[in-house]
Structures are given as C-alpha cells and as structure tokens.
Amino acid sequence: MQGRKQAATVDVSRYLGVGLTWALSTLLFLWLGTLADGALGTRPLFTVLGAFVGAAAGFYYMIHHLVVVPGREAKALRQAERESDKGTPRG
C-alpha cells in the first residue's frame, strides 16, 4: 500500500510541476510583453505576443516531459528487455 501512495505522490508532483511551469512561463512572458509595451508605447501588441509565446513555450515543455520523455523511456525499456531475452536460452 505504501508503494502506491508514494507512486501517486510522485505522479501528482510531476504533473503539478509541469502545470506550474506552463502557467509561470505564460505569466513571465506576459509580464515582459507588458514591460515592452510600456517602454515602446505599443500596447497591447507585445503583451498579447508575450502571452502567446509564453503559453507556447509552456506547452512545448509539457508535451516534451509528458509525452516524449516517457516514450523514450518505454522504448529503451523494451529494447533492454529484447536484448535480455536474446541472452536467455528458451525451452
């Protein structure tokens, strides 16, 4: 039972971290866009652009860490299992 709780905690913390990274990257670039608009007088051009760039960067991070990395790990695990199966005699 302890192992399941620990695995659930690890999963929750990973997903929470990815979600916070997405939100914080969006807010950071939104803020930078607001600063740029204030300095250049182009409101709301860079504010909107910053929000989209931040959201895109956060989305890329999310896809990479929730889809690409686990896919690579699963592929490496399957490859290791195939190699270990070749070394064991059958029959």
Side-chain angles (χ1 to χ4, degrees):
M1 189 70 177
Q2 182 69 20
R4 281 192 218 161
K5 276 187 175 181
Q6 189 174 9
T9 302
V10 168
D11 285 344
V12 167
S13 64
R14 179 175 48 167
Y15 297 136
L16 184 61
V18 169
L20 284 174
T21 299
W22 189 4
L24 291 176
S25 69
T26 302
L27 289 174
L28 173 67
F29 278 89
L30 180 70
W31 179 68
L32 291 174
T34 303
L35 290 178
D37 278 335
L40 300 172
T42 56
R43 188 156 283 157
L45 175 67
F46 288 108
T47 302
V48 172
L49 186 64
F52 280 114
V53 168
F59 188 73
Y60 173 79
Y61 179 86
M62 180 182 71
I63 293 296
H64 181 75
H65 286 279
L66 296 181
V67 177
V68 175
V69 171
R72 285 181 186 162
E73 290 172 354
K75 184 178 179 182
L77 183 61
R78 286 191 306 268
Q79 182 68 27
E81 287 174 352
R82 272 190 236 124
E83 289 175 3
S84 69
D85 286 346
K86 288 180 184 178
T88 57
R90 297 187 189 232

